[in-house]
Amino acid sequence: MGNEVDVSTLEAGGARDYADPPPAPLVDVDELGKWSLYRAVIAEFVATLLFLYITVATVIGYKHQTDASASGPDAACGGVGILGIAWAFGGMIFILVYCTAGISGGHINPAVTFGLFLARKVSLVRAILYMAAQCLGAICGVGLVKGFQSGFYARYGGGANEVSAGYSTGTGLAAEIIGTFVLVYTVFSATDPKRNARDSHVPVLAPLPIGFAVFMVHLATIPITGTGINPARSLGAAVVYNKNKAWSDQWIFWVGPFIGAAIAALYHQIVLRASARGYGSFRSNA
């Protein structure tokens, strides 16, 4: 037998129980007249501010707790450790995506916004405003950390992303590309309309894997770059910290995440979701 079966209809007696949303327009000028857009932009600003405040404060606190000159000879055994820092980043993403997903989509990251734009999930207008809000929120969030911990902020590196000693620029760039691919691929998978149709009764399922993806990537890449995978996070720390090394490495934390996001978007849309979009079909030869 040589029956062709569309993979996207192999459920519920061959009928879809979900619908793919129509592609977002490239430029939607009418969107500028809607309060929902500005509400979403404000949500992205506040979420990114909170994300940077909590996470950078965790990094600064950990470095202070493990500083032998400040915390005594047993300081190396103190603090939350790399595991705790990774949990801070992953946990905050889980919380903030859960809180803002229904308002803005819970991007909190220009690389995520860029990937969703390439997949036609958001318009160019929305993508630009989101990225601007995310970067401004990140700067304000790190600024709060510096204001509240001025005595420790510059001393412990300001939470800025830099390629660590012993690693090449290429290694740092590759770490950012792969790490962002993992994150954005998870975002696409967790928010896929087909998956949402199955899991709609468990609303935390989308934020949870996204937060875990951030957690796992931090475990792998903190020793290499401090883990960017979020250009707003890297820019906010660089602007407030304002040291040469943070600025000279800054391009890595934009180019790497944007490349990783683009690859994830293409992989999900063209390879994994091809049949659902009419690009191909599955042939059964049983």
Side-chain angles (χ1 to χ4, degrees), residues 243-276:
K243 301 294 183 181
N244 289 336
K245 176 64 171 171
W247 281 119
S248 64
D249 288 348
Q250 184 65 198
W251 69 272
I252 294 172
F253 302 102
W254 284 84
V255 174
F258 273 44
I259 292 175
I263 295 172
L266 292 173
Y267 175 60
H268 185 268
Q269 296 297 102
I270 295 177
V271 178
L272 299 186
R273 295 285 284 145
S275 61

